[in-house]
Amino acid sequence: QVNLVESGGGSVQTGGSLRLACVPSGYIFSTYNMAWVRQAPGKAREVVATIDSRGSLSYADSVKGRFTISKDVAKNTLYLQMNSLKAEDSAMYYCAAVYRSYRGQSPFSPDAYAYWGQGTQVTVSS
């Protein structure tokens, strides 16, 4: 069974920073494609950053230059460093994963991912 546990959310002022962490269990970390996905109230889920099993990174335009996704294989942890936060970044942030392929979907489609964490809330206020 694959489990993903996120942490690191919280409240921060506009322009501030947060670092989210996701610890997966039940599989070999380096063989899965992973992503951070967010969902604000009343809005669709948005994939904001992806990292594939080889370490290739991609970002949504909405966060490019501000967010950094990374993974520490030794610590078995996925991170999302979020800088220059804006009010519109407020959302529940989820860690997501899929084994090797994206199930015929774009890596930026939430449907590409088979496993999800419980989410961690990020609130940005002025």
Side-chain angles (χ1 to χ4, degrees):
Q1 182 177 355
V2 174
N3 290 305
L4 304 169
V5 179
E6 304 98 334
S7 62
S11 296
V12 65
Q13 291 189 326
T14 302
S17 298
L18 283 173
R19 188 175 77 161
L20 307 183
C22 170
V23 179
S25 62
Y27 65 92
I28 299 173
F29 187 47
S30 59
T31 60
Y32 277 64
N33 300 322
M34 301 190 73
W36 287 98
V37 184
R38 69 186 180 187
Q39 187 169 27
K43 295 190 176 181
R45 292 178 296 175
E46 177 189 18
V47 179
V48 297
T50 72
I51 182 167
D52 69 16
S53 59
R54 297 168 297 176
S56 296
L57 314 178
S58 297
Y59 298 94
D61 288 343
S62 58
V63 306
K64 200 171 293 182
R66 300 187 298 120
F67 289 13
T68 302
I69 187 171
S70 63
K71 62 182 180 181
D72 186 328
V73 176
K75 294 185 177 180
N76 199 42
T77 303
L78 178 75
Y79 298 103
L80 184 68
Q81 178 66 44
M82 305 185 294
N83 298 328
S84 302
L85 283 162
K86 305 175 181 180
E88 52 263 43
D89 294 319
S90 296
M92 186 71 79
Y93 282 73
Y94 299 91
C95 174
V98 64
Y99 179 69
R100 295 199 183 276
S101 76
Y102 289 104
R103 309 199 295 180
Q105 305 288 328
S106 161
F108 283 92
S109 168
D111 293 338
Y113 301 92
Y115 305 102
W116 295 78
Q118 83 289 349
T120 186
Q121 179 68 41
V122 172
T123 302
V124 185
S125 58
S126 57

